[in-house]
């Protein structure tokens, strides 16, 4: 292998020689204040780029040392400036990296927003099949895992090469140092060619997804992770104490009713279950997957309802348990959990955003999970208010309005749905009109009798029936999520009325299920594939679930693709707007931090990226609702 160490800009320029595809990789090490924390090397706020490797051909690579302790480094400013223009922002060069979010985060720390075209081989790996029906998971996609499996080459581990040292402690020109660094970019380039060949043969649509959707998204994730979320730590600690006081108060009330039964942190212990089902001899109304007595929230609601009719003296116990669980979750998951992830260098939380962690292509997040951040309507603590803007700045949120229902209308081509959206109408009012057979004006009238309950039902029907919800499932959803008791015959009537009012919806659903059964897979409009082999199962439960996935994936997955396409559009404009900082993606919502005086300019730009036609065939208007505030819990809507 022709691996070399270079420090001269002209020599590096000659190596690149106007290559159309350049793979690159960074070696990093902690800054002096953080040398005691090995994980700091992965944090762009607590470490720096020690060296850069680049590769333009198989078996070839160069290593450019920047901050090795032994000296012999290239001029950092000259190298970064040259590579910024020649590679990272060059529209003529495809930039390849394995885990592009990591590299883009470190570039962003230098003030550089990596620009498309780009290619993340880690994203590509997750869009290839590991077996006949299963795509690779993130845990299967490390470079040291993929290279032996796909290229039959064993790569040495980081620990094997460094011997417990940081990378900047290695001799910059030593063959082992250069070989290890160059291999990362060389084999990223080989994987680029390997995956593209696979896509060409088996799944061409996924090739396009990697290049136009997932790789720009990976870059955007690096930017969000670097910026992080500024947290009001003093408020969190104050609320932590209040939650603990509330928990103790509720716990004492529960103890007065049941004595010293151990209920644990979430009232789901075996001791508590024994008390319910053996001591109190309450009926088992729900079981777990292992056929044990269930005591989750849904089971407790069912028990509470049973007790209302049969043992009313026990109803206060269930009310207290639900309250105890609510406060326990708020404290442990959101306050304690968030405090644990505060970065000591920034005072911010920098969650991992995972754009390929779900089978539909929707985001997930971890460390911590901000996708489940409670809305203020169900949050007496005000968790979202912990996320704040620095002085002189604001948070701006832009949220797709009913994007999944719009995608559903696009798929099923129902005239009434399409007309509603094209005329900027209210789809929930339209559905209320359809299922209750009342005029649209009455359905949209907030002062009309029964407005709130009818609209709640219409919302749940809209989101549920698109995904093949059965009457019993609708009844359960309304009961446990909306607190509405609607009989099974009423639910059947509601669903039948909706299908009669939107006749092409049922036609599309049946056709989609038939197509999926024939192919064993469903896909989004851009070709993101999901295999559903159980759709032909003789087991009704498995087949039913697969059929619901067959309806869910095209809609939810296409909505996810539309959001990711918007991220790519945003990416191209962020270099000109260094004051606009992406912070978070949560469901269909994007959150930014910016100077207060730039609100109008920012919202126009963000909306422009989100609302543009995502692909030529999509003919349903897209709307993004914007809001701003100094904390995420108190946002003021921005009119158009």
């Amino acid at each position: 292998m022709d691996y070399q160490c270079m420090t001269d800009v002209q020599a590096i320029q000659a190596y690149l020689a106007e290559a159309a595809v350049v793979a690159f990789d960074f070696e990093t090490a902690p800054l002096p204040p953080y040398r005691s924390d090995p994980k700091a090397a992965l944090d762009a706020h607590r470490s720096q780029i020690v060296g850069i490797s680049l590769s333009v051909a198989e078996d070839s690579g160069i290593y450019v040392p920047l901050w090795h302790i032994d000296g012999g480094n290239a001029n950092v400013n000259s190298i970064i400036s040259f590579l910024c223009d020649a590679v990272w922002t060059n529209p003529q060069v495809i930039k390849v990296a394995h885990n592009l979010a990591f590299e883009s985060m470190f570039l962003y720390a230098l003030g550089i927003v990596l620009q498309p075209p780009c290619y993340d081989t880690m994203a590509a790996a997750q869009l290839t099949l590991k077996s006949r029906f299963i795509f690779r998971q993130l845990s299967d996609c490390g470079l040291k895992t993929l290279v032996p499996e796909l290229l039959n080459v064993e790569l040495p581990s980081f620990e094997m090469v460094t011997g417990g040292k940081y990378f900047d402690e290695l001799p910059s020109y030593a063959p082992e140092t250069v070989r290890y660094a160059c291999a990362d970019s060389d084999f990223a380039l080989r994987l680029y060619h390997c995956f593209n060949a696979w896509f060409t043969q088996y799944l061409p649509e996924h090739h396009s997804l990697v290049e136009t959707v997932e790789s720009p998204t990976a870059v955007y994730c690096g930017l969000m992770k670097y910026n992080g979320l500024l947290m009001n730590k003093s408020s969190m600690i104050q609320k932590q104490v209040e939650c603990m006081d509330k928990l103790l108060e509720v716990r004492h009330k529960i103890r007065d009713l049941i004595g010293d039964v151990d209920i644990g942190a979430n009232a789901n212990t075996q001791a508590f279950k024994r008390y319910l089902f053996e001591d109190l001899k309450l009926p088992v109304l729900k079981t777990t997957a292992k056929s044990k007595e269930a005591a989750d929230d849904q089971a407790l609601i069912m028990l509470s309802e049973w007790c209302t009719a049969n043992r009313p003296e026990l109803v206060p116990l269930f009310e207290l348990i639900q309250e105890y669980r609510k406060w326990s979750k708020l404290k442990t998951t959101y306050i304690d959990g968030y405090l644990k992830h505060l970065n000591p260098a920034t005072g911010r939380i920098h969650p991992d955003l995972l754009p390929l962690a779900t089978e539909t292509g929707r985001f997930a997040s971890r460390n911590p999970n901000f996708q489940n951040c409670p809305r203020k309507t169900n949050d007496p603590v005000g968790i979202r208010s912990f996320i704040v803007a620095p002085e002189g700045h604001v948070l701006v949120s832009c949220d797709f309005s009913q994007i999944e229902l719009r995608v559903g209308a696009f798929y099923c081509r129902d005239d009434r749905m399409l007309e509603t959206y094209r005329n900027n109408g209210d789809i929930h009012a339209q559905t209320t009109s359809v299922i209750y057979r009342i005029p649209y004006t009455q359905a949209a009238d907030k002062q009309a009798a029964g407005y709130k309950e009818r609209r709640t039902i219409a919302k749940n029907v809209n989101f549920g029936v698109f995904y093949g919800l059965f009457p019993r499932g609708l009844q359960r959803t309304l009961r446990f999520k909306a607190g509405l008791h609607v009989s099974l015959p009423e639910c059947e009537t509601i669903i039948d009325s909706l299908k009669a009012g939107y006749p092409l919806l049922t036609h599309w659903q049946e056709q989609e299920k038939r197509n999926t059964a024939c192919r064993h897979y469903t896909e989004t409009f851009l070709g993101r594939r999901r295999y559903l082999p159980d759709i032909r199962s003789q087991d009704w439960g498995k087949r039913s679930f697969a059929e619901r996935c067959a309806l869910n994936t095209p809609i939810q997955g296409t909505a996810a693709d539309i959001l990711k396409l918007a991220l790519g559009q945003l990416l191209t404009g962020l270099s000109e707007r260094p004051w606009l900082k992406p912070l978070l993606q949560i469901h269909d919502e994007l959150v930014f931090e910016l100077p207060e005086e730039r609100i109008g300019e920012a919202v126009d730009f963000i909306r422009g990226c989100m609302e543009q036609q995502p692909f030529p065939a999509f003919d349903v208007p897209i709307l993004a609702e914007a809001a701003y505030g100094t904390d995420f819990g108190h946002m003021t809507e921005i009119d158009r």
Side-chain angles (χ1 to χ4, degrees):
M1 297 177 185
D2 183 15
Y3 293 165
Q4 302 176 48
C5 183
M6 291 185 182
T7 56
D8 180 69
V9 171
Q10 290 184 331
I12 298 168
Q13 184 176 16
Y15 174 77
L16 297 176
E18 300 181 356
V21 181
V22 177
F24 71 101
D25 183 77
F26 296 152
E27 302 299 339
T28 63
L31 294 166
Y34 308 107
R35 302 293 279 195
S36 61
D37 182 0
K39 292 183 179 179
L42 306 177
D43 180 353
H45 291 280
R46 297 187 289 160
S47 62
Q48 62 184 353
I49 301 171
V50 170
I52 303 167
S53 67
L54 303 125
S55 177
V56 297
E58 186 174 325
D59 290 333
S60 168
I62 62 171
Y63 178 61
V64 185
L66 299 180
W67 289 107
H68 280 265
I69 293 172
D70 70 349
N73 298 301
N75 182 285
V76 175
N77 293 333
S78 299
I79 293 297
I80 297 298
S81 177
F82 165 71
L83 290 177
C84 177
D85 295 336
V87 179
W88 297 319
T89 63
N90 187 342
Q92 305 304 317
V93 172
I94 300 174
K95 307 93 182 163
V96 177
H98 195 76
N99 192 5
L100 198 50
F102 179 81
E103 269 73 22
S104 69
M105 176 175 63
F106 275 86
L107 286 175
Y108 193 53
L110 299 173
I112 299 168
V113 178
L114 187 140
Q115 293 296 305
C118 52
Y119 193 104
D120 183 5
T121 50
M122 182 176 283
Q126 293 175 82
L127 290 171
T128 60
L129 288 168
K130 184 178 182 181
S131 61
R132 185 181 178 192
F133 293 129
I134 300 174
F135 287 96
R136 284 185 172 84
Q137 301 296 307
L138 182 61
S139 57
D140 305 317
C141 295
L143 194 70
K144 303 296 190 292
T145 300
L146 291 169
V147 170
E149 178 187 343
L150 301 178
L151 303 175
N152 297 313
V153 176
E154 292 290 337
L155 296 178
S157 67
F158 182 84
E159 294 76 13
M160 188 184 302
V161 171
T162 60
K165 298 179 180 179
Y166 289 117
F167 210 81
D168 58 358
E169 298 176 277
L170 302 182
S172 55
Y173 278 82
E176 293 81 4
T177 304
V178 176
R179 184 163 54 245
Y180 178 85
C182 288
D184 284 350
S185 54
D186 176 16
F187 282 96
L189 187 63
R190 295 194 209 191
L191 288 176
Y192 166 80
H193 293 300
C194 176
F195 288 136
N196 284 349
W198 189 92
F199 291 137
T200 299
Q201 183 172 359
Y202 299 108
L203 256 174
E205 294 84 358
H206 278 209
H207 186 181
S208 176
L209 279 173
V210 172
E211 291 187 333
T212 62
V213 178
E214 295 300 342
S215 295
T217 294
V219 175
Y220 194 92
C221 285
L223 274 51
M224 288 192 287
K225 183 170 179 63
Y226 180 80
N227 287 325
L229 301 157
L230 183 62
M231 308 299 288
N232 187 337
K233 186 176 179 180
S234 60
S235 176
M236 294 173 77
I237 292 172
Q238 177 187 339
K239 292 294 184 181
Q240 187 180 44
V241 173
E242 291 179 15
C243 279
M244 180 56 72
D245 291 343
K246 186 67 177 179
L247 278 170
L248 290 173
E249 176 190 330
V250 176
R251 182 67 185 91
H252 284 311
K253 291 180 180 178
I254 294 172
R255 186 176 287 115
D256 289 342
L257 294 177
I258 68 173
D260 290 326
V261 176
D262 176 22
I263 64 172
N266 201 33
N268 200 19
T269 61
Q270 286 301 317
F272 183 58
K273 290 180 183 180
R274 282 196 299 272
Y275 177 78
L276 293 178
F277 302 114
E278 295 179 17
D279 297 351
L280 295 179
K281 301 189 184 308
L282 295 178
V284 178
L285 301 178
K286 183 184 177 185
T287 58
T288 67
K290 296 182 178 180
S291 300
K292 302 291 186 181
E293 302 91 342
D296 58 13
D297 288 341
Q298 192 177 102
L300 290 190
I301 291 173
M302 295 168 71
L303 282 170
S304 180
E305 291 173 353
W306 184 88
C307 288
T308 299
N310 299 281
R311 297 186 63 178
E313 75 278 7
L314 294 178
V315 171
L317 170 62
F318 291 101
E319 292 174 348
L320 287 170
I321 292 295
Q322 289 289 71
E323 188 173 7
Y324 180 80
R325 285 182 170 181
K326 177 181 71 177
W327 286 98
S328 178
K329 184 175 179 64
L330 288 169
K331 178 182 179 295
T332 58
T333 300
Y334 300 112
I335 303 179
D336 299 348
Y338 286 3
L339 283 169
K340 184 173 67 175
H341 291 288
L342 277 175
N343 187 306
T346 64
R348 294 175 177 245
I349 294 176
H350 302 266
D352 296 320
L353 283 303
L354 308 173
L356 281 166
T358 67
E359 292 188 272
T360 60
R362 287 175 66 91
F363 274 79
S365 69
R366 65 185 182 191
N367 300 324
N369 179 10
F370 270 105
Q371 298 291 319
N372 67 356
C373 187
R375 294 191 176 275
K376 58 184 179 182
T377 52
N378 190 33
D379 175 16
V381 171
I383 301 298
R384 291 193 171 209
S385 298
F386 296 155
I387 303 171
V388 296
E391 187 175 352
H393 290 67
V394 294
L395 303 176
V396 163
S397 160
C398 284
D399 192 355
F400 277 124
S401 172
Q402 300 175 7
I403 187 63
E404 290 185 21
L405 295 179
R406 293 173 192 270
V407 172
F410 164 72
Y411 268 112
C412 75
R413 310 308 299 165
D414 186 88
D415 291 336
R416 184 176 284 183
M417 289 184 187
L418 291 171
E419 182 183 1
T420 300
Y421 279 124
R422 287 169 180 164
N423 294 332
N424 199 29
D426 181 345
I427 195 69
H428 297 313
Q430 182 66 66
T431 296
T432 301
S433 171
V434 164
I435 61 180
Y436 288 101
R437 295 181 174 87
I438 59 177
Y440 176 86
T441 51
Q442 181 183 348
D445 182 3
K446 296 181 180 179
Q447 306 306 317
Y451 168 83
K452 186 173 181 180
E453 180 172 320
R454 285 199 301 255
R455 187 171 179 85
T456 299
I457 291 172
K459 281 185 175 182
N460 282 280
V461 170
N462 273 336
F463 287 109
V465 174
F466 260 115
Y467 300 145
L469 190 68
F470 294 113
R472 194 170 296 281
L474 175 61
Q475 183 188 42
R476 189 164 49 247
T477 298
L478 293 173
R479 181 181 179 187
F480 296 118
K481 292 189 176 180
L484 297 176
H485 291 265
V486 182
S487 70
L488 191 60
E490 284 181 278
C491 288
E492 291 173 349
T493 301
I494 287 169
I495 290 177
D496 289 343
S497 296
L498 181 132
K499 290 183 175 180
Y502 299 142
L504 290 183
L505 169 59
T506 301
H507 174 75
W508 172 77
Q509 289 178 325
E510 294 305 316
Q511 185 179 48
E512 190 63 30
K513 286 189 285 189
R514 284 195 301 270
N515 290 343
T516 303
C518 290
R519 302 177 302 187
H520 284 100
Y521 67 82
T522 186
E523 58 189 3
T524 69
F525 193 83
L526 296 183
R528 185 188 302 277
R529 186 172 295 187
R530 180 180 184 180
Y531 285 94
L532 297 167
D534 284 341
I535 200 158
R536 289 188 181 182
S537 173
Q538 297 302 308
D539 183 316
W540 182 87
K542 291 181 178 179
R543 186 176 69 253
S544 177
F545 176 75
E547 287 178 344
R548 290 196 298 275
C549 290
L551 304 181
N552 169 290
T553 299
I555 295 174
Q556 200 172 85
T558 299
D561 289 344
I562 289 172
L563 182 136
K564 289 177 177 179
L565 286 169
L567 300 185
Q569 293 297 320
L570 287 162
L571 199 62
T572 60
L574 287 176
S575 293
E576 306 161 15
R577 299 170 177 84
W579 44 268
L580 181 61
K581 296 182 177 180
L583 301 186
L584 185 64
Q585 179 281 336
I586 176 169
H587 304 305
D588 302 320
E589 182 178 11
L590 300 176
V591 184
F592 302 82
E593 179 186 297
L594 54 133
E596 189 172 3
E597 66 272 13
R598 300 266 199 175
I599 292 175
E601 182 182 352
V603 170
D604 287 345
F605 168 63
I606 298 165
R607 274 181 171 159
C609 293
M610 295 177 72
E611 294 179 347
Q612 69 173 265
Q613 187 178 21
F615 44 84
F618 197 82
D619 57 355
V620 182
I622 295 176
L623 294 178
E625 298 170 342
Y628 75 96
T630 55
D631 70 69
F632 195 38
H634 300 87
M635 305 286 278
T636 302
E637 292 185 7
I638 301 174
D639 296 330
R640 292 184 174 271

